[in-house]
Coordinates of all heavy atoms in Angstrom, one line a residue:
M1 N 130.7 183.2 135.1 CA 129.6 182.6 135.9 C 128.9 181.5 135.0 O 128.8 181.7 133.8 CB 128.6 183.7 136.3 CG 129.1 184.8 137.2 SD 129.5 184.3 138.8 CE 128.0 184.4 139.6
E2 N 128.5 180.5 135.7 CA 128.0 179.4 135.1 C 126.7 178.9 135.8 O 126.8 178.7 137.0 CB 129.0 178.3 135.0 CG 128.6 177.0 134.3 CD 129.8 176.0 134.4 OE1 130.9 176.3 134.5 OE2 129.4 174.8 134.2
F3 N 125.6 178.7 135.1 CA 124.4 178.2 135.6 C 124.5 176.6 135.5 O 124.9 176.1 134.5 CB 123.2 178.6 134.9 CG 122.7 180.0 135.3 CD1 122.9 181.1 134.6 CD2 121.9 180.1 136.4 CE1 122.5 182.3 134.9 CE2 121.4 181.3 136.8 CZ 121.7 182.4 136.1
R4 N 124.0 175.9 136.6 CA 123.9 174.5 136.5 C 122.6 174.1 137.2 O 122.2 174.7 138.2 CB 125.1 173.8 137.2 CG 126.4 173.9 136.5 CD 127.3 172.9 137.0 NE 128.7 173.2 136.5 CZ 129.7 172.4 136.8 NH1 129.6 171.4 137.6 NH2 130.9 172.7 136.4
N5 N 122.0 173.0 136.7 CA 120.9 172.4 137.4 C 121.5 171.3 138.3 O 122.3 170.5 137.9 CB 120.0 171.7 136.4 CG 119.3 172.7 135.5 OD1 118.9 173.8 136.0 ND2 119.2 172.5 134.2
V6 N 121.0 171.4 139.6 CA 121.5 170.4 140.6 C 120.2 169.9 141.4 O 119.2 170.5 141.3 CB 122.5 171.1 141.6 CG1 123.8 171.4 140.8 CG2 121.9 172.3 142.2
R7 N 120.4 168.9 142.1 CA 119.4 168.4 143.0 C 119.8 168.6 144.5 O 120.9 168.2 144.9 CB 119.1 166.9 142.8 CG 118.4 166.6 141.5 CD 117.6 165.3 141.7 NE 116.8 165.1 140.5 CZ 115.5 165.6 140.4 NH1 115.0 166.3 141.4 NH2 114.8 165.4 139.3
V8 N 119.0 169.3 145.2 CA 119.3 169.6 146.6 C 118.1 169.2 147.4 O 117.0 169.6 147.2 CB 119.5 171.2 146.8 CG1 119.7 171.5 148.2 CG2 120.7 171.6 145.9
N9 N 118.4 168.3 148.4 CA 117.3 167.7 149.1 C 116.3 167.0 148.2 O 115.1 167.1 148.5 CB 116.6 168.7 150.1 CG 117.6 169.1 151.2 OD1 118.2 168.3 151.8 ND2 117.6 170.4 151.5
G10 N 116.7 166.4 147.1 CA 115.8 165.7 146.2 C 115.0 166.6 145.3 O 114.3 166.1 144.4
R11 N 115.2 167.9 145.3 CA 114.5 168.7 144.4 C 115.4 169.4 143.5 O 116.6 169.8 143.8 CB 113.6 169.7 145.2 CG 114.4 170.8 145.9 CD 113.4 171.7 146.7 NE 114.2 172.9 147.2 CZ 114.9 172.9 148.3 NH1 115.1 171.8 149.0 NH2 115.6 173.9 148.6
R12 N 115.0 169.6 142.2 CA 115.8 170.2 141.2 C 115.8 171.8 141.4 O 114.8 172.4 141.6 CB 115.3 169.9 139.8 CG 116.1 170.4 138.7 CD 115.5 169.9 137.4 NE 116.2 170.6 136.3 CZ 115.6 171.5 135.5 NH1 114.3 171.9 135.7 NH2 116.3 172.1 134.6
T13 N 117.0 172.3 141.3 CA 117.1 173.8 141.4 C 118.3 174.2 140.5 O 119.1 173.4 140.1 CB 117.3 174.2 142.9 OG1 117.2 175.7 142.9 CG2 118.7 173.8 143.4
S14 N 118.4 175.5 140.2 CA 119.5 176.0 139.4 C 120.3 176.9 140.3 O 119.8 177.6 141.2 CB 119.0 176.8 138.3 OG 118.2 176.0 137.4
M15 N 121.6 176.8 140.1 CA 122.6 177.7 140.8 C 123.5 178.4 139.8 O 123.9 177.8 138.8 CB 123.4 176.9 141.8 CG 122.6 176.4 143.0 SD 123.7 175.5 144.1 CE 125.0 176.7 144.5
R16 N 123.9 179.6 140.1 CA 124.9 180.3 139.3 C 126.1 180.6 140.2 O 126.0 181.2 141.2 CB 124.3 181.6 138.9 CG 125.2 182.4 138.0 CD 124.5 183.7 137.5 NE 125.4 184.5 136.8 CZ 125.2 185.7 136.4 NH1 124.1 186.3 136.8 NH2 126.1 186.3 135.7
L17 N 127.2 180.0 139.8 CA 128.5 180.1 140.5 C 129.6 180.3 139.5 O 129.5 179.9 138.3 CB 128.8 178.9 141.3 CG 127.9 178.6 142.5 CD1 128.2 177.2 143.1 CD2 128.1 179.6 143.6
E18 N 130.7 180.8 139.9 CA 131.9 180.9 139.1 C 132.4 179.5 138.7 O 132.3 178.5 139.5 CB 133.0 181.6 139.9 CG 132.7 183.1 140.2 CD 131.8 183.2 141.4 OE1 131.5 182.3 142.1 OE2 131.4 184.4 141.7
T19 N 132.9 179.3 137.5 CA 133.4 178.0 137.1 C 134.4 177.4 138.0 O 134.4 176.2 138.3 CB 134.0 178.2 135.7 OG1 133.0 178.7 134.8 CG2 134.5 176.8 135.1
Q20 N 135.3 178.3 138.6 CA 136.3 177.8 139.5 C 135.6 177.2 140.8 O 136.1 176.3 141.4 CB 137.3 178.9 139.9 CG 138.1 179.4 138.7 CD 137.4 180.5 137.9 OE1 136.2 180.7 138.1 NE2 138.1 181.1 137.0
I21 N 134.5 177.8 141.2 CA 133.8 177.3 142.4 C 133.2 175.9 142.1 O 133.3 175.0 142.9 CB 132.8 178.3 142.9 CG1 133.5 179.6 143.4 CG2 132.0 177.7 144.1 CD1 134.4 179.5 144.5
W22 N 132.6 175.8 140.9 CA 132.0 174.5 140.5 C 133.1 173.5 140.5 O 132.9 172.4 141.0 CB 131.4 174.6 139.1 CG 130.0 175.3 139.1 CD1 129.7 176.4 138.4 CD2 128.8 174.9 139.7 NE1 128.4 176.7 138.6 CE2 127.8 175.8 139.4 CE3 128.5 173.8 140.6 CZ2 126.5 175.7 139.9 CZ3 127.2 173.7 141.1 CH2 126.2 174.7 140.7
D23 N 134.3 173.8 139.9 CA 135.4 172.8 139.9 C 135.8 172.4 141.3 O 136.1 171.3 141.5 CB 136.6 173.4 139.1 CG 136.3 173.6 137.6 OD1 135.3 173.0 137.1 OD2 137.1 174.3 137.0
A24 N 135.9 173.4 142.2 CA 136.3 173.2 143.5 C 135.3 172.3 144.3 O 135.7 171.3 145.0 CB 136.6 174.5 144.3
L25 N 134.0 172.6 144.1 CA 133.0 171.8 144.7 C 133.0 170.3 144.3 O 132.9 169.4 145.1 CB 131.6 172.4 144.5 CG 131.3 173.7 145.3 CD1 130.1 174.3 144.8 CD2 131.3 173.5 146.8
E26 N 133.2 170.1 143.0 CA 133.3 168.8 142.4 C 134.5 168.0 143.0 O 134.5 166.9 143.4 CB 133.4 168.8 140.9 CG 132.1 169.2 140.3 CD 132.1 169.4 138.8 OE1 133.3 169.5 138.2 OE2 131.1 169.4 138.2
D27 N 135.7 168.8 143.1 CA 136.9 168.2 143.7 C 136.6 167.8 145.2 O 137.0 166.7 145.7 CB 138.0 169.2 143.6 CG 139.3 168.6 144.3 OD1 139.7 167.5 143.9 OD2 139.8 169.3 145.1
I28 N 136.0 168.7 146.0 CA 135.7 168.5 147.4 C 134.8 167.3 147.5 O 135.0 166.4 148.3 CB 135.1 169.7 148.0 CG1 136.2 170.8 148.1 CG2 134.6 169.4 149.4 CD1 135.6 172.2 148.5
A29 N 133.7 167.2 146.7 CA 132.8 166.1 146.8 C 133.5 164.8 146.5 O 133.3 163.8 147.3 CB 131.7 166.3 145.8
R30 N 134.4 164.8 145.5 CA 135.1 163.5 145.2 C 136.0 163.1 146.4 O 136.0 162.0 146.8 CB 136.0 163.8 144.0 CG 136.4 162.6 143.2 CD 137.0 162.9 141.9 NE 137.7 164.2 141.7 CZ 137.2 165.3 141.1 NH1 136.1 165.2 140.6 NH2 138.0 166.4 141.0
R31 N 136.7 164.1 147.0 CA 137.5 163.8 148.2 C 136.7 163.3 149.3 O 137.2 162.6 150.2 CB 138.3 165.1 148.6 CG 139.4 165.5 147.6 CD 140.0 166.8 148.0 NE 140.9 167.3 147.0 CZ 142.3 167.1 147.2 NH1 142.7 166.5 148.3 NH2 143.1 167.6 146.3
E32 N 135.5 163.8 149.5 CA 134.7 163.4 150.6 C 133.8 162.2 150.4 O 133.1 161.8 151.2 CB 133.7 164.6 151.0 CG 134.5 165.8 151.5 CD 135.3 165.6 152.7 OE1 134.8 164.8 153.6 OE2 136.4 166.1 152.8
G33 N 134.0 161.6 149.2 CA 133.3 160.3 148.9 C 131.8 160.5 148.7 O 131.0 159.6 149.0
T34 N 131.4 161.7 148.1 CA 130.0 161.9 147.8 C 130.0 162.5 146.4 O 131.0 162.6 145.7 CB 129.4 162.9 148.8 OG1 128.0 162.9 148.6 CG2 130.0 164.2 148.8
D35 N 128.8 162.9 146.0 CA 128.7 163.6 144.7 C 128.3 165.1 144.9 O 128.1 165.5 146.1 CB 127.7 162.9 143.7 CG 126.3 162.9 144.3 OD1 126.0 163.6 145.3 OD2 125.4 162.2 143.7
L36 N 128.3 165.9 143.9 CA 128.0 167.3 144.0 C 126.6 167.5 144.6 O 126.5 168.4 145.5 CB 128.1 167.9 142.6 CG 127.8 169.4 142.5 CD1 128.9 170.2 143.4 CD2 127.8 169.9 141.1
N37 N 125.6 166.8 144.2 CA 124.3 167.0 144.8 C 124.3 166.6 146.3 O 123.6 167.3 147.1 CB 123.3 166.1 144.1 CG 123.1 166.5 142.6 OD1 123.3 167.7 142.3 ND2 122.8 165.5 141.8
G38 N 125.0 165.6 146.7 CA 125.1 165.3 148.1 C 125.8 166.4 148.9 O 125.4 166.7 150.0
L39 N 126.9 166.9 148.4 CA 127.6 168.0 149.1 C 126.7 169.2 149.2 O 126.6 169.8 150.2 CB 128.9 168.3 148.3 CG 129.7 169.4 148.9 CD1 130.2 169.1 150.3 CD2 130.9 169.7 148.0
L40 N 126.0 169.6 148.1 CA 125.1 170.8 148.1 C 123.9 170.5 149.1 O 123.5 171.5 149.8 CB 124.6 171.1 146.7 CG 125.7 171.6 145.8 CD1 125.2 171.7 144.4 CD2 126.3 172.9 146.3
T41 N 123.4 169.3 149.2 CA 122.4 169.0 150.1 C 122.9 169.2 151.5 O 122.2 169.8 152.4 CB 121.8 167.6 149.9 OG1 121.2 167.5 148.6 CG2 120.8 167.2 151.0
H42 N 124.1 168.8 151.8 CA 124.7 168.9 153.1 C 124.8 170.4 153.4 O 124.5 170.9 154.5 CB 126.1 168.3 153.1 CG 126.9 168.6 154.3 ND1 126.7 168.0 155.6 CD2 128.0 169.4 154.5 CE1 127.6 168.5 156.4 NE2 128.4 169.3 155.8
L43 N 125.3 171.2 152.5 CA 125.5 172.7 152.7 C 124.1 173.3 152.9 O 124.0 174.2 153.8 CB 126.2 173.3 151.5 CG 127.6 172.9 151.3 CD1 128.2 173.6 150.1 CD2 128.5 173.2 152.5
D44 N 123.1 172.9 152.1 CA 121.8 173.5 152.2 C 121.2 173.3 153.6 O 120.6 174.2 154.2 CB 120.9 172.9 151.2 CG 119.5 173.6 151.1 OD1 119.5 174.8 151.0 OD2 118.5 172.8 151.3
M45 N 121.4 172.1 154.2 CA 120.9 171.9 155.5 C 121.5 172.7 156.6 O 121.0 172.8 157.7 CB 121.0 170.4 155.8 CG 120.1 169.5 154.9 SD 120.0 167.7 155.2 CE 121.7 167.3 155.7
R46 N 122.7 173.2 156.4 CA 123.5 173.9 157.4 C 123.7 175.4 157.1 O 124.5 176.1 157.8 CB 124.8 173.2 157.6 CG 124.7 171.9 158.2 CD 125.9 171.0 157.9 NE 125.7 169.7 158.6 CZ 124.9 168.7 158.2 NH1 124.2 168.9 157.1 NH2 124.8 167.6 158.8
R47 N 123.1 175.9 156.1 CA 123.5 177.3 155.6 C 122.8 178.4 156.4 O 123.2 179.6 156.2 CB 123.2 177.4 154.1 CG 121.7 177.4 153.8 CD 121.6 177.5 152.3 NE 120.3 177.1 151.9 CZ 119.3 178.0 151.6 NH1 119.6 179.3 151.6 NH2 118.1 177.7 151.2
G48 N 121.9 178.2 157.2 CA 121.2 179.3 157.9 C 120.4 180.1 156.9 O 119.7 179.6 156.1
K49 N 120.6 181.4 157.1 CA 119.8 182.4 156.3 C 120.5 182.8 155.0 O 119.9 183.5 154.2 CB 119.5 183.6 157.1 CG 118.6 183.3 158.2 CD 118.2 184.6 159.0 CE 117.3 184.2 160.1 NZ 116.8 185.4 160.9
S50 N 121.8 182.4 154.8 CA 122.5 182.8 153.6 C 122.0 182.0 152.4 O 121.4 180.9 152.5 CB 124.0 182.6 153.7 OG 124.3 181.2 153.8
S51 N 122.2 182.5 151.2 CA 121.8 181.7 150.0 C 122.7 180.5 149.8 O 123.8 180.5 150.4 CB 121.9 182.6 148.7 OG 123.3 182.8 148.4
L52 N 122.2 179.5 149.1 CA 123.0 178.3 148.9 C 124.3 178.7 148.1 O 125.4 178.1 148.4 CB 122.2 177.3 148.2 CG 122.9 175.9 147.9 CD1 123.5 175.3 149.2 CD2 122.0 175.0 147.2
A53 N 124.2 179.6 147.2 CA 125.4 180.0 146.4 C 126.5 180.6 147.3 O 127.6 180.3 147.2 CB 125.0 181.0 145.3
S54 N 126.0 181.5 148.2 CA 127.0 182.1 149.2 C 127.6 181.0 150.1 O 128.8 181.0 150.4 CB 126.3 183.1 150.0 OG 125.9 184.2 149.3
A55 N 126.7 180.1 150.6 CA 127.2 179.0 151.4 C 128.3 178.2 150.7 O 129.3 177.8 151.3 CB 126.1 178.2 151.9
A56 N 128.0 177.9 149.4 CA 129.0 177.1 148.6 C 130.3 177.8 148.5 O 131.4 177.2 148.6 CB 128.4 176.8 147.3
R57 N 130.2 179.1 148.2 CA 131.5 179.9 148.1 C 132.3 179.9 149.4 O 133.5 179.7 149.4 CB 131.2 181.3 147.7 CG 130.8 181.5 146.2 CD 130.5 182.9 145.9 NE 130.0 183.0 144.5 CZ 128.7 183.2 144.2 NH1 127.8 183.4 145.2 NH2 128.3 183.3 143.0
L58 N 131.6 180.2 150.5 CA 132.2 180.3 151.8 C 132.8 178.9 152.2 O 133.9 178.8 152.8 CB 131.3 180.8 152.9 CG 130.9 182.3 152.7 CD1 129.8 182.7 153.7 CD2 132.1 183.2 152.8
Y59 N 132.0 177.9 152.0 CA 132.5 176.5 152.3 C 133.8 176.2 151.5 O 134.7 175.6 152.1 CB 131.4 175.5 152.0 CG 131.8 174.1 152.2 CD1 131.9 173.6 153.5 CD2 132.2 173.3 151.2 CE1 132.3 172.3 153.7 CE2 132.7 172.0 151.4 CZ 132.7 171.5 152.6 OH 133.1 170.2 152.8
T60 N 133.7 176.5 150.2 CA 134.9 176.2 149.4 C 136.1 176.9 149.9 O 137.2 176.4 150.0 CB 134.6 176.6 147.9 OG1 133.5 175.8 147.5 CG2 135.8 176.3 147.0
L61 N 136.0 178.2 150.2 CA 137.1 179.0 150.8 C 137.6 178.3 152.1 O 138.8 178.1 152.3 CB 136.6 180.4 151.0 CG 137.6 181.3 151.7 CD1 138.9 181.5 150.9 CD2 137.0 182.7 152.0
A62 N 136.7 178.0 153.0 CA 137.0 177.4 154.3 C 137.7 176.1 154.1 O 138.7 175.8 154.8 CB 135.8 177.3 155.2
Y63 N 137.2 175.3 153.2 CA 137.8 174.0 153.0 C 139.3 174.1 152.5 O 140.2 173.4 153.0 CB 137.0 173.2 151.9 CG 137.3 171.8 151.8 CD1 136.5 170.8 152.4 CD2 138.3 171.3 150.9 CE1 136.8 169.5 152.3 CE2 138.6 170.0 150.8 CZ 137.8 169.0 151.5 OH 138.1 167.7 151.3
Y64 N 139.5 174.9 151.5 CA 140.9 175.1 151.0 C 141.8 175.9 152.0 O 143.0 175.6 152.0 CB 140.9 175.7 149.6 CG 140.4 174.7 148.6 CD1 139.2 174.8 147.9 CD2 141.3 173.6 148.3 CE1 138.8 173.8 147.0 CE2 140.9 172.6 147.4 CZ 139.7 172.8 146.7 OH 139.3 171.8 145.8
R65 N 141.2 176.8 152.8 CA 142.0 177.4 153.8 C 142.5 176.4 154.8 O 143.7 176.4 155.2 CB 141.2 178.5 154.5 CG 141.2 179.8 153.7 CD 140.5 180.9 154.5 NE 141.4 181.3 155.5 CZ 141.1 182.2 156.4 NH1 139.9 182.7 156.5 NH2 141.9 182.6 157.3
A66 N 141.6 175.5 155.2 CA 142.0 174.5 156.2 C 143.1 173.6 155.6 O 144.0 173.1 156.3 CB 140.8 173.6 156.5
A67 N 143.0 173.3 154.3 CA 144.0 172.5 153.6 C 145.3 173.2 153.6 O 146.4 172.6 153.9 CB 143.6 172.1 152.2
A68 N 145.3 174.5 153.4 CA 146.6 175.3 153.4 C 147.2 175.3 154.8 O 148.4 175.2 154.9 CB 146.3 176.7 152.9
E69 N 146.3 175.5 155.8 CA 146.8 175.5 157.2 C 147.4 174.1 157.6 O 148.3 174.1 158.4 CB 145.7 175.8 158.1 CG 145.2 177.3 158.0 CD 144.0 177.6 158.8 OE1 143.5 176.7 159.6 OE2 143.5 178.7 158.7
Q70 N 146.9 173.1 157.0 CA 147.5 171.7 157.3 C 148.9 171.7 156.9 O 149.7 171.0 157.5 CB 146.7 170.7 156.5 CG 147.1 169.3 156.8 CD 146.6 168.8 158.2 OE1 145.6 169.3 158.7 NE2 147.3 167.8 158.7
S71 N 149.3 172.4 155.9 CA 150.7 172.4 155.4 C 151.6 173.2 156.3 O 152.8 173.1 156.3 CB 150.8 173.0 154.0 OG 150.0 172.2 153.1
F72 N 151.1 174.1 157.2 CA 151.8 175.0 158.0 C 151.4 174.8 159.4 O 150.3 175.2 159.8 CB 151.6 176.5 157.6 CG 152.0 176.8 156.2 CD1 151.0 176.8 155.2 CD2 153.3 177.0 155.8 CE1 151.3 177.1 153.9 CE2 153.6 177.2 154.5 CZ 152.7 177.3 153.6
P73 N 152.3 174.2 160.3 CA 151.9 173.9 161.7 C 151.6 175.3 162.4 O 152.3 176.3 162.2 CB 153.2 173.3 162.3 CG 154.0 172.9 161.1 CD 153.6 173.7 159.9
T74 N 150.5 175.2 163.2 CA 150.1 176.4 164.0 C 149.7 175.9 165.3 O 149.5 174.7 165.6 CB 148.9 177.1 163.3 OG1 147.8 176.3 163.4 CG2 149.2 177.5 161.9
D75 N 149.4 176.8 166.2 CA 148.9 176.5 167.5 C 147.4 176.5 167.6 O 146.8 176.3 168.6 CB 149.4 177.5 168.6 CG 150.9 177.3 168.7 OD1 151.5 176.2 168.5 OD2 151.6 178.3 169.1
F76 N 146.7 176.8 166.4 CA 145.3 176.9 166.4 C 144.6 175.5 166.3 O 145.2 174.6 165.7 CB 144.8 177.7 165.2 CG 145.3 179.1 165.3 CD1 146.3 179.5 164.5 CD2 144.8 180.0 166.2 CE1 146.8 180.8 164.6 CE2 145.2 181.3 166.3 CZ 146.2 181.7 165.5
E77 N 143.5 175.4 166.9 CA 142.7 174.1 166.9 C 142.2 173.8 165.5 O 141.8 174.7 164.7 CB 141.5 174.2 167.8 CG 140.7 173.0 167.9 CD 139.6 173.1 168.9 OE1 139.7 173.9 169.9 OE2 138.5 172.6 168.7
R78 N 142.3 172.6 165.0 CA 141.8 172.2 163.7 C 140.2 172.2 163.7 O 139.6 171.9 164.7 CB 142.2 170.8 163.4 CG 143.7 170.7 163.2 CD 144.1 171.2 161.8 NE 145.5 171.4 161.7 CZ 146.0 172.6 161.3 NH1 145.3 173.5 160.9 NH2 147.3 172.7 161.2
P79 N 139.6 172.6 162.6 CA 138.2 172.6 162.5 C 137.6 171.1 162.6 O 138.3 170.2 162.3 CB 137.9 173.1 161.1 CG 139.2 173.1 160.4 CD 140.3 173.0 161.4
A80 N 136.3 171.1 163.0 CA 135.7 169.8 163.1 C 135.5 169.2 161.7 O 135.3 169.9 160.7 CB 134.3 170.0 163.7
P81 N 135.4 167.8 161.6 CA 135.3 167.2 160.3 C 133.9 167.4 159.7 O 132.9 167.6 160.4 CB 135.5 165.7 160.5 CG 135.6 165.6 162.0 CD 135.7 166.9 162.6
I82 N 133.8 167.4 158.4 CA 132.5 167.4 157.7 C 131.8 166.1 157.8 O 132.4 165.1 158.3 CB 132.8 167.8 156.2 CG1 131.5 167.9 155.4 CG2 133.6 166.7 155.5 CD1 131.7 168.3 154.0
F83 N 130.6 166.0 157.4 CA 129.8 164.8 157.5 C 130.5 163.7 156.7 O 131.3 164.0 155.7 CB 128.4 165.0 156.9 CG 128.4 165.0 155.4 CD1 127.8 163.9 154.8 CD2 128.9 166.0 154.6 CE1 127.7 163.8 153.4 CE2 128.8 166.0 153.3 CZ 128.2 164.9 152.6
R84 N 130.3 162.5 157.0 CA 130.9 161.4 156.2 C 129.7 160.4 155.9 O 129.1 159.9 156.8 CB 131.9 160.7 157.1 CG 132.5 159.5 156.3 CD 134.0 159.4 156.2 NE 134.7 160.3 157.0 CZ 135.5 161.3 156.4 NH1 135.5 161.5 155.1 NH2 136.2 162.1 157.2
P85 N 129.4 160.3 154.6 CA 128.3 159.3 154.3 C 128.6 157.9 154.8 O 129.8 157.5 154.9 CB 128.3 159.3 152.7 CG 129.0 160.5 152.3 CD 130.0 160.9 153.5
Q86 N 127.7 157.2 155.3 CA 127.9 155.9 155.9 C 128.6 155.0 154.9 O 128.2 154.9 153.8 CB 126.6 155.3 156.4 CG 126.0 156.0 157.6 CD 124.9 155.2 158.2 OE1 124.6 154.1 157.8 NE2 124.4 155.7 159.3
G87 N 129.6 154.3 155.4 CA 130.4 153.4 154.6 C 131.4 154.0 153.7 O 132.1 153.4 153.0
A88 N 131.5 155.4 153.7 CA 132.4 156.0 152.8 C 133.8 156.1 153.6 O 133.9 156.6 154.7 CB 132.0 157.4 152.5
G89 N 134.8 155.7 152.9 CA 136.1 155.9 153.4 C 136.7 157.2 153.1 O 136.0 158.0 152.5
H90 N 137.9 157.5 153.5 CA 138.5 158.8 153.2 C 139.8 158.6 152.4 O 140.8 158.2 153.0 CB 138.7 159.6 154.5 CG 139.0 161.0 154.2 ND1 139.9 161.4 153.2 CD2 138.4 162.1 154.6 CE1 139.9 162.7 153.2 NE2 139.0 163.2 154.0
P91 N 139.8 158.8 151.1 CA 140.9 158.4 150.3 C 142.1 159.3 150.5 O 143.2 158.9 150.2 CB 140.4 158.5 148.9 CG 139.3 159.5 149.0 CD 138.7 159.3 150.3
H92 N 141.9 160.5 151.0 CA 143.0 161.5 151.1 C 143.1 162.1 152.5 O 142.0 162.5 153.0 CB 142.8 162.7 150.1 CG 142.6 162.2 148.7 ND1 143.7 161.7 147.9 CD2 141.5 162.2 147.9 CE1 143.2 161.4 146.7 NE2 141.9 161.7 146.7
P93 N 144.2 162.2 153.0 CA 144.3 163.0 154.3 C 144.1 164.4 154.0 O 144.9 165.1 153.4 CB 145.8 162.7 154.8 CG 146.5 162.3 153.5 CD 145.5 161.7 152.6
H94 N 143.0 164.9 154.4 CA 142.6 166.3 154.0 C 141.7 166.9 155.1 O 140.8 166.2 155.6 CB 141.8 166.2 152.7 CG 141.7 167.5 152.0 ND1 142.8 168.2 151.5 CD2 140.7 168.3 151.8 CE1 142.4 169.3 150.9 NE2 141.1 169.4 151.1
P95 N 142.0 168.1 155.6 CA 141.1 168.7 156.6 C 139.7 169.0 156.1 O 139.5 169.2 154.9 CB 141.9 170.0 157.0 CG 142.7 170.3 155.8 CD 143.0 169.0 155.2
H96 N 138.8 169.1 157.0 CA 137.4 169.3 156.6 C 136.8 170.4 157.6 O 137.1 170.4 158.7 CB 136.6 168.1 156.7 CG 137.3 166.9 156.1 ND1 137.3 166.7 154.8 CD2 137.9 165.9 156.7 CE1 138.0 165.7 154.5 NE2 138.4 165.1 155.6
V97 N 135.9 171.2 157.0 CA 135.3 172.2 157.8 C 133.8 172.3 157.5 O 133.3 171.8 156.5 CB 135.9 173.6 157.6 CG1 137.4 173.6 158.0 CG2 135.8 174.0 156.1
H98 N 133.1 172.9 158.4 CA 131.6 173.1 158.2 C 131.5 174.4 157.5 O 132.3 175.3 157.6 CB 130.9 173.2 159.6 CG 130.9 171.9 160.3 ND1 130.1 170.9 159.9 CD2 131.6 171.5 161.3 CE1 130.3 169.9 160.7 NE2 131.2 170.2 161.6
A99 N 130.4 174.6 156.8 CA 130.1 175.8 156.0 C 129.8 176.9 157.1 O 129.3 176.7 158.1 CB 128.9 175.6 155.2
A100 N 130.2 178.1 156.7 CA 130.0 179.2 157.6 C 128.6 179.7 157.5 O 127.9 179.5 156.6 CB 131.0 180.4 157.3

């Protein structure tokens, strides 16, 4: 587990997540054309009653599950895309999902 200071909705906060989750969130943020703080702010606004750490874990799992499903054709509907910052392009063909 690793503690990090982040900015969520413009305010500083600390989060404790597994190192692998931090790495995955940084990768996802890069793929989505944002930074870690922007991604966490997005998750915070949509997390409902769960903690931000739980939302980050579930989002990471859903994001990579969607990527794995992209490799295997199915009859299931694809998830809706995540937010896209204005003016941001999409460098990689990659599926996107909303946090649970």
